[in-house]
Amino acid sequence: ARLSHRLPLSTVCVSRWVRSRIGRPADPVRYAPAVDPAVFHPGPRQPDRGRLVVGTIGRRGKTKGYEVFLEAVRRLPRPHDLKILVASPTPDEVPLPGGVDAEGVHTRSDQAMAEFYRRCDVFVLPSRMEAFPLPPLEAMACGCAVVSTACGGVEDYAENGVNCLLVPPGDPASLATAVWTACTDDHLRSRLARHGAMTARRFERE
């Protein structure tokens, strides 16, 4: 794949980050069809026994960083104050966080993912590397505050402190701090969600 980038062919990149990684600064960036507003939109939130809900996507593979999320949950000052939701396309794909109220959610459609996001107050992307991750945009469209690692293509739309909180990849301590900050600072969480919704509208399919 790396050698193919040296061929004298026009290349279309899925993010500015990918373009910089392959060393083709003159090639165009075309974002893939992104957020469908008919599916991903805010909805009524039902408090989970007065606790905030933190959600993530649980996938196997080191690049997805799920083990970093698990360690971050262990480092939260008061994890029992939160409900943890883990979405996966197959049941029991990954272990749930231990010692906290955690629930696995089986999601195999856009509609199921939208329902998952609408249950969350804070969505976390713990990946180590992503070319152009859609879940943070989908979560923003559904009204979530987003915490993400600076894992690559996410930085094409993520602005730290404006529409999300960004932390270094593979750093559970920083991830735990950012998640706890988003959960305990109501004003910040509301502001991130508001600006996140504005960001998501720039990446709608239309």
Side-chain angles (χ1 to χ4, degrees), residues 58-152:
R59 299 302 306 272
R60 291 189 294 267
K62 187 174 182 179
T63 60
K64 296 303 180 183
Y66 182 66
E67 79 288 350
V68 178
F69 176 78
L70 292 177
E71 178 59 28
V73 171
R74 284 192 286 268
R75 292 170 180 246
L76 292 173
R78 298 193 306 276
H80 293 289
D81 290 352
L82 307 174
K83 171 73 175 280
I84 307 295
L85 291 184
V86 179
S88 297
T90 57
D92 305 318
E93 180 169 348
V94 294
L96 296 177
V100 297
D101 185 3
E103 177 186 344
V105 181
H106 185 202
T107 53
R108 298 194 67 179
S109 69
D110 283 352
Q111 290 75 15
M113 282 303 303
E115 292 173 8
F116 161 76
Y117 294 130
R118 284 192 281 271
R119 291 183 63 187
C120 300
D121 297 288
V122 177
F123 173 76
V124 181
L125 182 78
S127 296
R128 296 176 184 273
M129 184 179 292
E130 297 280 356
F132 186 78
L134 290 179
L137 280 174
E138 295 169 346
M140 289 175 179
C142 291
C144 295
V146 168
V147 175
S148 175
T149 53
C151 57

Side-chain angles (χ1 to χ4, degrees), residues 4-5 11 15 31 42 79 130 139 141 162 164 171 179 203:
S4 74
H5 300 317
T11 303
S15 67
Y31 297 115
E130 297 280 356
V162 177
C164 69
D171 186 342
V179 169
F203 291 88

